């Protein structure tokens, strides 16, 4: 456990006059401020912590050990896909040839970076069966918004302005309806059937109600229950049949890599989360990237800037296009994330990338089958990279998914995604990813089985978990209602 002396706030460790650094002299040979115009100088010293170097080093080292990440242990967070982030990717992204670039420098001085951008567009197109991509959106939700804007531009270009409704399955990720709303479109929900898949009769009914107003359907496949939507050909007929487009939420493309392609399934527009599918750090660990792909014929609606080739084969930055969306964010998005994902794809190679889907699927099914006698599996059958339990099978114990999640923290595991999807009361969404060893997975299964036993033998102890983490069970309602976001020294 951490040394409490260094675990306080850095301001509490401050002592007047302590120094842990020395700055080089400025070009006038001193620490004077005379290079700055007087009106810009502070009248008062800023209130900064004053600490010696060791205190600072220990303070941050101890805090870093209060975190949990994929480098600490198993992180089965369904939908969010916390897969291993190889450090070679970080090294590539940190190469001075990339970090010293300026986004406004002339194209002929940064052909290498443009080449990476172009190659990545092509690799993603090959992996997904789309015609081309933009790498500019900053996250999955941002990709959804960009993709929906492309769809809206398409309908407008055909003077089909009444198409303002987006059909979204009830199992969808929350960002789908949010993105549609931000895009000014109305959300129409389509129900899941007892098999967890989009209910075709309900879909037909929805489309029949307003065939001329549907802009698109947004689908996640495998859906958020980890189930493969096997009725895509039928869905495609219904949706394209009424003149609407098919949007594919490929945030988590893990199980599909090298196995099947959204483009071949009839999807017109899609996004991928590089920060889930292609192993770049996210959440507290780094920014995202949500490239958007389109089928042939829709390229002209993609946002600028675009990286394109001129007649001589040189790459240049195109900021024009009569029908193009404007810029959806600064410059080319999170290019460092693109570099990391690029390195990841290249280090796997064309052959190994085909192993990602089958291994992620095998691991998820192995856990599901090993636990379904103790945890309630609402939908039987083969899953893909993830699956959902609806809490414990034995409903007499009053032990909740929250209690189980908290207890896992004590055992050194991150909790699964809990209370999502909203289809079940006690959802627990488990995604092991392809990277884990059988030993790690077996020990997780062992702990989950022990917790299920404890739910019967010692349920009170479960209600008190976690007891071994730096913070115990926090009141998340209080934190949401009365957030304290500023340091207040109560002494
Ligand atoms: C994570 C996720 C998103 C949103 O991605 P962000 O990068 O968090 O905005 C959308 N859809 C699905 C299915 C996801 O898992």
């Amino acid at each position: 456990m951490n040394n409490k002396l260094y675990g306080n706030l850095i301001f509490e460790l401050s002592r007047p006059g302590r120094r842990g650094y020395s700055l080089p002299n400025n070009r006038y040979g001193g620490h004077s401020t005379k290079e700055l115009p007087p009106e810009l100088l502070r009248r008062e010293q800023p209130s900064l912590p004053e600490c010696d170097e060791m205190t600072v080093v220990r303070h941050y080292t101890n805090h870093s050990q209060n975190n949990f990440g994929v480098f600490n242990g198993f992180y089965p967070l369904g939908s969010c896909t916390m897969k291993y982030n190889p450090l070679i990717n970080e090294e590539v992204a940190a190469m001075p040839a990339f970090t010293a670039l300026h986004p406004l420098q002339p194209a002929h001085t940064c052909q290498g970076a443009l080449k990476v951008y172009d190659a990545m567009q092509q690799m993603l197109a090959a992996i997904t069966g789309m015609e081309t991509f933009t790498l500019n959106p900053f996250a999955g939700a941002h990709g959804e918004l960009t993709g929906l804007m492309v769809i809206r531009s398409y309908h407008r270009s055909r003077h089909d302005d009444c198409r303002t409704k987006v059909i979204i399955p009830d199992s969808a990720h929350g960002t789908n309806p949010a993105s549609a709303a931000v895009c000014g479109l109305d959300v129409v929900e389509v129900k899941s059937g007892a098999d967890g898949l989009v209910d075709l009769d309900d879909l037909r009914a929805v489309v029949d109600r307003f065939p001329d107003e549907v802009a698109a359907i947004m689908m996640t496949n495998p859906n958020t229950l980890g189930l493969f939507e096997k009725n895509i050909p039928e869905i495609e007929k219904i949706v394209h049949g009424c003149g609407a487009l098919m949007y594919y939420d490929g945030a988590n493309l893990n199980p599909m890599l090298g196995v099947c392609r959204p483009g071949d399934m009839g999807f017109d527009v899609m996004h991928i989360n590089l920060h889930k599918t292609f192993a770049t750090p996210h959440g507290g660990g780094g920014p995202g990237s949500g490239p958007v792909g389109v089928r042939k014929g829709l390229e002209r609606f993609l946002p600028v800037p675009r990286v394109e080739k001129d007649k001589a084969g040189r790459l240049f930055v195109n900021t024009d296009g009569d029908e193009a969306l404007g810029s959806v964010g600064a410059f080319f998005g999170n290019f460092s994330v693109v570099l990391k994902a690029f390195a990841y794809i290249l280090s796997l190679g064309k052959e190994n990338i085909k192993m990602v889907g089958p291994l992620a699927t095998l691991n998820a099914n192995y856990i599901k089958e090993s636990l379904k006698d103790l945890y309630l599996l609402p939908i039987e059958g083969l899953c893909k990279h993830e699956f959902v339990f609806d809490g414990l099978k034995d409903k007499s114990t009053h032990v909740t998914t929250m209690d189980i999640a908290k207890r896992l923290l004590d055992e050194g595991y991150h909790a699964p995604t809990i209370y999502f999807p909203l289809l079940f009361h006690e959802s627990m969404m488990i995604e092991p990813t392809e990277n884990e060893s059988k030993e790690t997975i077996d020990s997780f299964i062992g702990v989950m089985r022990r917790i299920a036993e404890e739910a019967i033998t010692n349920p009170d102890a479960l209600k008190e978990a976690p007891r071994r983490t730096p913070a115990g069970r926090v009141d998340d309602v209080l934190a949401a209602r009365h957030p304290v976001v500023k340091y207040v020294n109560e002494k």
Side-chain angles (χ1 to χ4, degrees):
M1 203 34 48
N2 288 326
N3 187 332
K4 287 286 172 241
L5 180 61
Y6 301 102
N8 301 327
L9 291 173
I10 190 91
F11 282 91
E12 292 168 359
L13 302 173
S14 175
R15 295 293 175 271
R18 288 273 166 85
R19 285 288 176 275
Y21 69 92
S22 53
L23 289 179
N25 289 344
N26 67 23
R27 62 187 145 119
Y28 295 104
H31 289 122
S32 89
T33 49
K34 66 184 168 204
E35 284 187 68
L36 294 173
E39 68 273 20
L40 295 180
L41 292 179
R42 286 175 180 276
R43 270 171 275 286
E44 279 167 36
Q45 288 293 320
S47 156
L48 296 174
E50 300 178 78
C51 297
D52 59 282
E53 186 170 337
M54 280 233 80
T55 299
V56 174
V57 168
R58 287 180 181 151
H59 173 74
Y60 286 109
T61 303
N62 280 298
H63 270 316
S64 75
Q65 290 168 0
N66 286 336
N67 283 337
F68 189 95
V70 273
F71 285 4
N72 297 90
F74 188 50
Y75 206 137
L77 199 66
S79 184
C80 300
T81 315
M82 291 298 192
K83 68 161 85 162
Y84 170 54
N85 307 133
L87 287 175
I88 180 87
N89 303 349
E90 301 296 322
E91 266 181 50
V92 169
M95 285 163 71
F98 296 120
T99 56
L101 288 171
H102 191 283
L104 287 176
Q105 77 187 62
H108 74 270
T109 66
C110 54
Q111 286 287 307
L114 296 179
K115 201 165 172 182
V116 170
Y117 191 103
D118 183 55
M120 186 67 164
Q121 281 179 173
Q122 292 180 31
M123 286 199 305
L124 294 181
I127 288 170
T128 59
M130 290 286 154
E131 177 67 15
T132 189
F133 268 81
T134 171
L135 313 181
N136 298 4
F138 286 94
H142 194 207
E144 291 168 26
L145 175 63
T146 305
L148 288 171
M149 286 162 74
V150 165
I151 289 174
R152 207 179 48 186
S153 300
Y154 163 79
H155 290 307
R156 283 190 182 157
S157 76
R158 296 155 45 92
H159 308 292
D160 205 354
D161 294 352
C162 297
R163 295 196 178 267
T164 55
K165 294 191 167 37
V166 180
I167 301 175
I168 300 179
D170 56 6
S171 63
H173 198 268
T175 50
N176 289 186
S179 304
V182 171
C183 194
L185 300 164
D186 302 321
V187 175
V188 187
E189 193 176 274
V190 58
K191 284 204 267 305
S192 304
D195 56 359
L197 306 180
V198 166
D199 184 330
L200 289 179
D201 290 333
D202 196 44
L203 178 63
R204 279 193 205 97
V206 166
V207 170
D208 284 348
R209 241 185 296 154
F210 16 68
D212 306 328
E213 293 173 50
V214 182
I217 187 169
M218 287 182 97
M219 292 203 50
T220 308
N221 189 27
N223 65 25
T224 54
L225 297 174
L227 303 171
F228 190 82
E229 295 276 0
K230 58 176 195 270
N231 299 321
I232 292 286
E234 203 53 41
I235 294 172
E236 195 258 346
K237 251 186 246 151
I238 299 170
V239 173
H240 278 159
C242 82
L245 296 188
M246 302 266 291
Y247 185 93
Y248 183 95
D249 179 339
N252 193 338
L253 210 63
N254 248 15
M256 310 295 256
L257 285 181
V259 180
C260 56
R261 309 191 306 168
D264 300 334
M265 293 183 229
F267 285 92
D268 304 291
V269 182
M270 70 173 294
H271 81 270
I272 305 181
N273 282 15
L274 299 187
H275 50 290
K276 292 177 184 170
T277 305
F278 296 114
T280 69
H282 58 122
S289 175
V292 170
V294 293
R295 74 160 159 77
K296 201 167 174 55
L298 296 175
E299 309 91 309
R300 63 187 198 276
F301 301 115
L302 284 172
V304 293
R306 306 252 327 125
V307 173
E308 288 171 14
K309 270 202 187 90
D310 65 17
K311 288 198 185 76
R314 279 177 155 268
L315 292 160
F316 72 104
V317 177
N318 190 354
T319 53
D320 294 328
D322 289 344
E323 294 180 282
L325 294 177
S327 169
V328 293
F331 305 106
F332 294 100
N334 281 327
F335 187 58
S336 74
V337 180
V338 171
L339 286 167
K340 292 176 202 180
F342 187 69
Y344 179 76
I345 295 174
L346 289 186
S347 60
L348 280 182
K350 207 170 173 176
E351 285 311 310
N352 289 326
I353 211 165
K354 292 183 186 155
M355 295 298 291
V356 171
L359 282 175
T361 301
L362 176 65
N363 288 349
N365 280 285
Y366 179 59
I367 297 177
K368 171 172 68 69
E369 293 301 314
S370 306
L371 290 175
K372 71 175 188 188
D373 57 328
L374 296 174
Y375 291 85
L376 183 61
L377 182 66
I379 296 169
E380 278 281 349
L382 197 71
C383 66
K384 290 291 173 271
H385 58 303
E386 62 195 5
F387 63 93
V388 181
F389 282 136
D390 186 7
L392 285 165
K393 202 163 187 180
D394 182 351
K395 294 290 180 204
S396 66
T397 66
H398 305 296
V399 166
T400 63
T401 282
M402 179 65 88
D403 302 329
I404 296 161
K406 295 296 183 190
R407 184 72 184 84
L408 276 171
L409 305 183
D410 271 340
E411 296 292 330
Y413 295 96
H414 197 281
T417 294
I418 59 172
Y419 299 106
F420 177 82
L422 307 176
L423 297 174
F424 314 113
H425 286 299
E426 293 291 331
S427 287
M428 187 187 291
M429 190 181 197
I430 297 175
E431 176 178 3
T433 81
E434 69 276 16
N435 302 124
E436 300 296 341
S437 69
K438 179 153 185 298
E439 288 72 22
T440 300
I441 292 179
D442 280 336
S443 68
F444 173 72
I445 291 169
V447 167
M448 286 290 281
R449 296 193 69 85
R450 230 183 316 129
I451 294 175
E453 254 164 54
E454 273 176 30
I456 296 162
T457 57
N458 195 2
D460 292 345
L462 271 175
K463 296 275 170 198
E464 283 162 25
R467 279 184 285 192
R468 294 183 211 151
T469 49
R473 207 178 279 210
V474 292
D475 183 341
D476 33 1
V477 176
L478 186 72
R481 295 289 180 274
H482 303 285
V484 180
V485 293
K486 183 166 174 273
Y487 172 56
V488 185
N489 191 348
E490 273 156 8
K491 270 179 238 153

